Amino acid sequence: MSRWLERFRPYLMVAPAIIVFVLFFIYPIGYMIYLSFHEWDFISPDKQFVGLDNFAGLSEHPEFLKSLENTFVFTFFSVGITTVLALLLALWINRPTRFYGFVQGAVFSPHIISLVSIAMLWMWLMDPQYGLLNWGLEMFGLPQSEWLASPETALYSIILVAIWKSIGFNTLIIIAGLQSIPPHLYEAAALDQSSRFTSFAKITFPMISPTLFFLIIMNLIGSFQVFETIDIMTQGGPLQSTNTLVYYIYEYGFRFFQLGYASSAGVILLIVLSILTVLYFFLMSRRVHYQ
Amino acid sequence: MAEIRFENVKKTYGEDTIIPDMNMTIKDGSFTVIVGPSGCGKSTTLRMIAGLETQTEGNIYIGDRLVNDVSPGKRNVSMVFQNYALYPTMSVKGNIEFGLKNRKVPKAERQKLIEEVAEIVGLTPYLNKKPQKLSGGQRQRVALARAMVKKPDVFILDEPLSNLDAKLRQQMRSELVQLHAKLGTTFVYVTHDQVEAMSMGDEIVLLDQGEIMQMAPPLDLYNYPANRFTAQFIGTPPMNLVSVDQLPSAGFSEKAVEQIGFRPEKAKLRHFPGNDQFSMPCTILNRETLGSEIIYQLDTFAGKLYAKTFNEPVVDDEQLVVSVNNEDIYYFKENGRCIAPYLNRETPIKVRSTV
């Protein structure tokens, strides 16, 4: 008995974690892949095997292709702009005075507000008739925008909200990266007649590249899954202009009850995210500098 | 090549005065060691020469040039940092090359200079390695090469050996002295280790609380300390001090004398008092046998004293007499200034030029 226990103790110890992981991660993923080859309406007892029909349907569905395009546009601009702005902001406010300490805290605050509240808040601000943003534009004599109401600008309005929400967190992580650079390096560089730009390009940037790389990958994974802002602010509209992959999956799965079809879109998302994750671990081990 | 001159230099951080008023001239081509206890302002002094700190008041000259407003890169000064401060993302070659590139030295010339300097410090096989892959001693060499390649007027070293193990430190010590002899550049070297100061410098600046206690060649510092601080800082164990109050029979004519002092290595342990001016009974408290030398801790009526003997048999007896020759006794005034031997000095001690 005791020998039996001795042998299985390690397995018993990790069992709770494994059970949770299997039950809530592995099993749903497997079930999703299984469903993606079937047609099922959530209620009927039999699931009909349809092979790759769901995927074929996706590839021919303009709405799906539009949502895929929107997701890529959203990801490209929100991640790109967030990273660049966060880097500039971090370089600017990374100073040890009380004032800049306050600024660092202030920039971070959107991160701790619920995304739902942020979405509501920005809806008010972006209201074409009564919103503060248009009022401000008018004050300075600039042309007003339709914001969320026009298919031309709706996606970019959502991108703006996403940037506003994530920039503080990104800035803080970059500041942490900047502060981990030994100050002696800059003194040595000063004695080496290095200009500010050279010091940035040859010392600062290479030293924080692991941090930046981590942030970019995390932001990519996060923005491929954008959902709450879209659900609250536009529901994918107007004219599908803000429909993204996860919102598409949600609509087909839980509004139209085409579970098999929605699952096949889910598989596509899974593939994209898996590629990003593998890329992250692969590049992290090779390309980017770690001390 | 250049001398460095401090003129009424003052440095304060907020309320704290680190250096009240410093005047000194570091000789052209000298190996000057700035030494003192932690917090004495030695690193600040060094960083002011490099331009990494700006003095609050006063002038600093390198050569004939007033460098108060000259940026660190333009002072033609090279620095070796305590933790080397190598650029971790660059190869050894990149590290050495960085300063040259910033000065827009043409590529062919850079290549030649790097090869030359790598040869001198023995880094040629490692030029394409990253600093993380090197040992402590090799990193030290990279830091030296990076400093040397710029052919500076002044070489500044901030406790460069403190991260090395004892054996390597000894080796680097003599290598640095040889390097100085070869380059002939002014070296300014900061350390808290008096052994390093004595063994490497041909001029020592002893600092305490931002003030220069004494500036002299190593042996002068040892033989003719200007004050109590110098006498106690240089030499292990430190100089023994005995208050004259405890020596009523000595009968000092000069009232100003407060303490007398003698080096432990000049103390003789005997069974009977000799003809020396100074002798007092003692008992041995403790004995450290270090091989060629033995350090005794003695208990006397005037307090605990040290004695150091070389290549002599161990003294076992408990009851002894400690005595010192007249010419080995130093006299200290109330303000801590040392008198007799300093004034009686006949010929200046010759300065060691190279090892």
Side-chain angles (χ1 to χ4, degrees):
Chain A
M1 181 65 193
S2 77
R3 275 194 58 193
W4 184 88
L5 195 70
E6 201 58 39
R7 239 177 114 179
F8 286 93
R9 182 180 288 158
Y11 299 99
L12 278 174
M13 294 295 191
V14 296
I18 294 293
I19 288 167
V20 169
F21 185 67
V22 168
L23 215 58
F24 294 105
F25 291 92
I26 302 294
Y27 170 72
I29 288 173
Y31 195 56
M32 177 184 74
I33 294 168
Y34 167 81
L35 279 181
S36 71
F37 298 111
H38 293 77
E39 203 180 299
W40 187 43
D41 62 4
F42 227 147
I43 302 160
S44 78
D46 52 298
K47 306 177 182 76
Q48 203 188 337
F49 182 76
V50 293
L52 291 170
D53 279 6
N54 285 333
F55 292 97
L58 279 179
S59 70
E60 287 162 9
H61 195 193
E63 211 177 294
F64 172 75
L65 298 177
K66 179 74 183 159
S67 76
L68 209 57
E69 183 200 317
N70 286 341
T71 309
F72 276 101
V73 171
F74 175 85
T75 302
F76 179 78
F77 284 106
S78 67
V79 175
I81 297 173
T82 302
T83 312
V84 172
L85 281 185
L87 177 60
L88 293 176
L89 197 60
L91 290 170
W92 182 29
I93 65 176
N94 180 27
R95 276 155 231 229
T97 66
R98 201 173 284 185
F99 172 72
Y100 284 102
F102 171 77
V103 174
Q104 287 170 22
V107 207
F108 185 70
S109 60
H111 184 71
I112 57 170
I113 304 173
S114 131
L115 203 46
V116 176
S117 315
I118 288 175
M120 305 288 281
L121 182 83
W122 279 90
M123 274 172 81
W124 288 339
L125 293 173
M126 287 174 167
D127 188 288
Q129 262 93 54
Y130 312 108
L132 199 65
L133 292 184
N134 269 355
W135 180 77
L137 287 174
E138 198 185 7
M139 269 240 314
F140 290 103
L142 295 166
Q144 301 192 333
S145 171
E146 287 291 301
W147 302 110
L148 297 164
S150 150
E152 311 269 290
T153 54
L155 187 60
Y156 296 97
S157 305
I158 301 235
I159 290 172
L160 179 68
V161 178
I163 294 170
W164 184 80
K165 157 93 175 155
S166 56
I167 196 160
F169 175 74
N170 281 263
T171 304
L172 218 65
I173 300 286
I174 295 174
I175 287 179
L178 289 174
Q179 288 180 351
S180 71
I181 302 175
H184 291 110
L185 293 185
Y186 293 108
E187 294 178 354
L191 285 160
D192 273 344
Q193 253 188 57
S194 170
S195 65
R196 283 185 75 170
F197 176 77
T198 313
S199 294
F200 174 79
K202 296 286 179 179
I203 298 169
T204 311
F205 192 75
M207 294 291 281
I208 58 167
S209 62
T211 311
L212 288 178
F213 186 58
F214 166 80
L215 280 176
I216 288 172
I217 294 287
M218 289 300 139
N219 289 339
L220 282 178
I221 291 172
S223 54
F224 265 101
Q225 304 178 60
V226 58
F227 177 75
E228 294 97 322
T229 37
I230 302 222
D231 187 37
I232 291 160
M233 297 175 83
T234 62
Q235 272 116 50
L239 296 171
Q240 305 298 329
S241 63
T242 59
N243 200 358
T244 58
L245 200 47
V246 175
Y247 195 74
Y248 182 86
I249 294 167
Y250 164 75
E251 270 204 315
Y252 276 82
F254 301 99
R255 284 245 177 96
F256 310 145
F257 297 112
Q258 299 184 21
L259 254 287
Y261 185 70
S263 294
S264 62
V267 170
I268 303 287
L269 180 63
L270 177 71
I271 291 169
V272 172
L273 295 185
S274 306
I275 291 171
L276 281 178
T277 311
V278 170
L279 195 73
Y280 175 61
F281 283 108
F282 178 70
L283 286 180
M284 190 175 75
S285 64
R286 296 196 49 208
R287 296 282 305 271
V288 186
H289 160 75
Y290 272 94
Q291 259 191 310
Chain B
M1 294 223 193
E3 66 169 31
I4 302 163
R5 199 145 48 84
F6 276 59
E7 219 176 65
N8 301 317
V9 170
K10 182 180 180 183
K11 176 73 185 170
T12 56
Y13 289 108
E15 299 281 290
D16 303 325
T17 303
I18 306 296
I19 291 164
D21 182 23
M22 182 179 275
N23 287 287
M24 67 169 173
T25 304
I26 293 171
K27 286 187 206 113
D28 181 17
S30 69
F31 195 129
T32 299
V33 180
I34 303 179
V35 68
S38 15
C40 70
K42 54 190 188 297
S43 280
T44 308
T45 308
L46 200 68
R47 292 166 62 84
M48 286 194 296
I49 299 174
L52 299 172
E53 309 267 358
T54 314
Q55 66 274 26
T56 320
E57 280 171 30
N59 297 323
I60 296 176
Y61 296 87
I62 297 178
D64 298 327
R65 190 159 64 128
L66 179 66
V67 293
N68 290 3
D69 301 317
V70 179
S71 69
K74 300 256 161 76
R75 292 190 177 196
N76 211 12
V77 163
S78 278
M79 181 157 174
V80 176
F81 292 82
Q82 182 172 2
N83 50 13
Y84 320 134
L86 301 178
Y87 311 120
T89 53
M90 300 179 201
S91 64
V92 169
K93 186 174 171 218
N95 266 282
I96 301 173
E97 202 173 20
F98 189 62
L100 297 177
K101 270 188 179 166
N102 291 332
R103 290 165 170 221
K104 313 242 168 8
V105 176
K107 193 168 181 205
E109 200 185 329
R110 285 204 309 257
Q111 191 62 34
K112 202 176 128 256
L113 285 169
I114 293 168
E115 277 168 18
E116 246 174 57
V117 104
E119 199 56 48
I120 295 175
V121 294
L123 276 175
T124 311
Y126 306 100
L127 278 178
N128 292 317
K129 288 227 163 69
K130 287 276 172 68
Q132 300 94 294
K133 302 260 191 258
L134 303 180
S135 68
Q138 288 166 336
R139 286 182 203 187
Q140 176 72 76
R141 281 165 217 268
V142 179
L144 277 173
R146 185 175 68 178
M148 274 161 61
V149 81
K150 290 187 284 180
K151 300 215 179 346
D153 291 335
V154 176
F155 233 92
I156 284 181
L157 304 101
D158 187 5
E159 307 213 16
L161 305 185
S162 56
N163 286 355
L164 302 178
D165 61 64
K167 199 175 160 195
L168 201 52
R169 201 178 310 159
Q170 181 127 31
Q171 187 191 333
M172 287 305 287
R173 228 154 53 195
S174 66
E175 278 186 32
L176 278 176
V177 173
Q178 286 167 37
L179 189 67
H180 172 247
K182 197 181 310 182
L183 297 177
T185 316
T186 312
F187 271 46
V188 185
Y189 186 106
V190 154
T191 179
H192 62 267
D193 181 0
Q194 54 145 322
V195 178
E196 258 175 42
M198 294 293 282
S199 62
M200 297 174 77
D202 46 39
E203 188 87 3
I204 295 179
V205 181
L206 182 56
L207 284 187
D208 185 39
Q209 296 177 9
E211 287 183 62
I212 298 176
M213 301 314 286
Q214 191 168 359
M215 184 168 176
L219 284 178
D220 282 11
L221 215 57
Y222 175 82
N223 288 323
Y224 308 109
N227 48 47
R228 200 151 43 200
F229 183 85
T230 309
Q232 292 248 281
F233 191 86
I234 304 290
T236 30
M239 183 181 281
N240 294 308
L241 293 178
V242 178
S243 170
V244 292
D245 299 343
Q246 282 161 316
L247 308 166
S249 57
F252 285 100
S253 54
E254 215 171 336
K255 278 267 184 287
V257 173
E258 190 192 49
Q259 282 173 315
I260 63 160
F262 61 91
R263 299 243 173 235
E265 44 273 40
K266 301 287 186 190
K268 289 169 285 187
L269 292 174
R270 295 185 172 150
H271 290 97
F272 304 101
N275 293 329
D276 301 317
Q277 178 179 2
F278 182 92
S279 64
M280 53 165 53
C282 66
T283 55
I284 294 176
L285 279 179
N286 187 27
R287 194 189 303 115
E288 289 176 44
T289 45
L290 302 174
S292 65
E293 57 199 57
I294 304 167
I295 297 170
Y296 299 93
Q297 201 185 357
L298 311 170
D299 192 26
T300 69
F301 61 84
K304 286 184 181 127
L305 301 175
Y306 286 99
K308 193 170 170 183
T309 61
F310 297 93
N311 297 320
E312 278 175 30
V314 180
V315 183
D316 270 332
D317 312 76
E318 295 264 305
Q319 286 294 328
L320 289 161
V321 171
V322 56
S323 66
V324 186
N325 287 341
N326 290 348
E327 63 269 28
D328 292 330
I329 293 181
Y330 298 79
Y331 302 89
F332 295 94
K333 292 206 278 192
E334 248 172 289
N335 58 8
R337 291 203 68 79
C338 182
I339 22 178
Y342 197 73
L343 296 178
N344 290 343
R345 168 178 169 182
E346 290 151 3
T347 49
I349 298 291
K350 200 173 174 320
V351 178
R352 172 185 54 77
S353 52
T354 56
V355 161

